[in-house]
Amino acid sequence: MLHSRATKRASTRRFRRHPVSRPTHRTPGSPFPRLGLLVLAAAIFVSMSTEFLPGGLVPNIAETFDRPVTDVGQLITVFAGAVILTTTPLAVLTRRMPRKPLAIIALVGIAAATGLTALAPTFEMLLIARGAGGVAHGLFWSVAAAYAADLVASSQLGRATAITAAGGSVAGVLGVPLGNALGQAFGWRVAFGTLAAVAVLVVLLVALLLPAVMPNPPAPRKASARDASTPSALGGILLVCAIILLVVIGQTTYGTYSVVWLGEVAAIPSAAIPAFLFGTGLAAFVAVSAVGRIADRFPNGAMPVAVGLLAVLSALFPLAAAWGIGALVVTALLQAMAFAVVPILLQTRMMRIAPPHQRATAAALQTTAFNVAIGGGAALGALVVGAWGLGALPWVAAVLPVAGLILLLLTPRASASHAGTDPHPSPSHTEVHSVS
């Protein structure tokens, strides 16, 4: 027996001295990984810029291939369709693969597809390149949406999500307009080629500076653990997806035709519209920069307030337009700030709800919901304009978020089933291993 105890103690000492090499989960006392999050934000900037860049270059591309603009609009449809169809299956297939190499593979795919877009000799090849870019974009987001949650403790999740989401905001405020300006000055191929080069640079930054995380372990096999976590987590995940659909469809219904509404309903001169849009984009960026700490301090109260403000401000658009351009500008700036923070709050809530083993699936469903909402909002906007005219668009942008707010308020327990819990337990001692 003494020999057995000695052997057991020796074995324990050997285990502690030579533990299995793996990334350490972040605990509340760990340093905040700002550099890694900024690198992830840069990767999101590239991904979002790649998605949105064709929108402002449709006439140029149509002229190159002698196609109607409606045909070139398929570039956006093909991209979104590829994201919708492939994101969730790819998340399931890759859920046990290391996260950092997977992010690099996805970014290499984005860079390659963007480069192929710049060099495409035919319109058919252009469609293929955009479809491939959509697949890479979907794979990237199935990783990126949950990456911040794996780098920080849950008490820092709002701040981390805000930093990474700033990449998407910069893409909207600076990246896409600059890309479009470059395309107008030197041709759309130069714009896509430049973005491909930036994507290659970001791949190198990710490879060198992004901390590695491992896929989370599968759910426990015990019935009690499965019954306690999985059903409630799935319900909360689907709830957040439903709120995404309602809020984003409503906003995209108006947003798709916002330039037309501003010109024809609000009577803003066409020369002033670019400055108007730049101002709202800048306001959105400011809001994104400030929302992180608020989301961490008020994890359950911030989102209902933001969605409620979004609905009210959207409903005020017609009245503000009647009062004059000053009132409309103030309303639009506040509305842009509210809408900018809602996706961050939704993503933060999604990652708090989802237990670690369901984060990849939750991220994929979230990405799919956003893309379905963007496409669905554009389609609904066309129907609304055809049936009731442009003046009805702000009302749709207000009513659907109200429906999302009601859904949120009626099911608070499901929406916050895992909120406030730290998926990374605080061990008595922390062992750090390099896996980069």
Side-chain angles (χ1 to χ4, degrees):
M1 179 176 294
L2 291 174
H3 174 74
S4 176
R5 289 177 180 174
T7 302
K8 184 176 180 179
R9 286 196 297 269
S11 176
T12 302
R13 286 195 297 269
R14 286 196 300 270
F15 175 76
R16 289 175 178 172
R17 189 176 301 138
H18 304 288
V20 177
S21 179
R22 61 182 180 182
T24 301
H25 289 308
R26 298 283 172 176
T27 64
S30 300
F32 189 71
R34 183 180 299 276
L35 179 60
L37 292 169
L38 289 173
V39 170
L40 189 58
I44 291 173
F45 166 83
V46 166
S47 182
M48 298 297 289
S49 297
T50 301
E51 180 178 12
F52 295 139
L53 182 59
L57 299 174
V58 168
N60 310 68
I61 298 172
E63 182 180 357
T64 298
F65 294 104
D66 194 22
R67 294 267 187 163
V69 292
T70 52
D71 284 0
V72 180
Q74 295 177 16
L75 296 175
I76 299 172
T77 304
V78 166
F79 190 99
V83 173
I84 292 169
L85 293 175
T86 63
T87 299
T88 301
L90 286 174
V92 173
L93 291 173
T94 61
R95 65 187 184 279
R96 296 186 181 180
M97 291 179 61
R99 303 289 91 184
K100 180 175 176 176
L102 201 58
I104 293 173
I105 291 171
L107 287 168
V108 169
I110 289 173
T114 306
L116 181 59
T117 301
L119 300 173
T122 65
F123 183 72
E124 290 73 19
M125 185 60 68
L126 194 63
L127 287 174
I128 293 173
R130 289 297 292 171
V135 174
H137 179 86
L139 176 61
F140 171 76
W141 272 101
S142 70
V143 178
Y147 213 108
D150 290 332
L151 287 176
V152 300
S154 65
S155 60
Q156 300 173 325
L157 187 53
R159 184 180 171 195
T161 304
I163 290 175
T164 56
S169 298
V170 173
V173 175
L174 295 177
V176 173
L178 288 176
N180 289 339
L182 191 63
Q184 298 294 342
F186 302 102
W188 64 270
R189 294 186 187 274
V190 173
F192 278 99
T194 302
L195 184 56
V198 173
V200 171
L201 176 61
V202 170
V203 168
L204 296 177
L205 291 176
V206 168
L208 294 174
L209 301 176
L210 183 66
V213 297
M214 291 295 290
N216 290 295
R221 293 294 182 181
K222 294 181 180 179
S224 59
R226 184 172 63 250
D227 293 341
S229 64
T230 304
S232 60
L234 181 58
I237 289 167
L238 295 178
L239 171 66
V240 174
C241 288
I243 298 171
I244 289 171
L245 289 172
L246 289 169
V247 174
V248 178
I249 285 177
Q251 293 300 302
T252 309
T253 298
Y254 164 77
T256 303
Y257 301 93
S258 61
V259 172
V260 183
W261 187 90
L262 291 170
E264 296 188 12
V265 177
I268 294 180
S270 58
I273 290 178
F276 185 96
L277 296 177
F278 178 79
T280 56
L282 190 60
F285 177 74
V286 171
V288 167
S289 302
V291 73
R293 294 186 184 276
I294 297 174
D296 286 334
R297 188 171 181 180
F298 306 101
N300 296 320
M303 192 166 78
V305 171
V307 175
L309 285 174
L310 179 63
V312 171
L313 291 166
S314 297
L316 285 177
F317 268 12
L319 184 60
W323 283 347
I325 189 168
L328 180 60
V329 167
V330 172
T331 304
L333 292 176
L334 293 174
Q335 193 263 4
M337 295 176 78
F339 183 52
V341 304
V342 167
I344 295 174
L345 297 172
L346 287 167
Q347 182 175 333
T348 302
R349 176 160 293 207
M350 179 73 87
M351 291 300 107
R352 283 200 174 108
I353 288 169
H357 66 273
Q358 288 184 325
R359 279 182 180 160
T361 301
L365 291 173
Q366 168 186 288
T367 302
T368 302
F370 272 111
N371 280 273
V372 169
I374 291 170
L380 179 61
L383 294 175
V384 170
V385 171
W388 297 292
L390 289 166
L393 292 175
W395 298 111
V396 177
V399 169
L400 290 182
V402 168
L405 179 61
I406 293 172
L407 181 62
L408 173 64
L409 295 178
L410 288 178
T411 52
R413 292 182 181 179
S415 65
S417 58
H418 291 270
T421 62
D422 195 339
H424 307 321
S426 302
S428 58
H429 60 280
T430 303
E431 299 165 339
V432 180
H433 308 285
S434 174
V435 292
S436 298

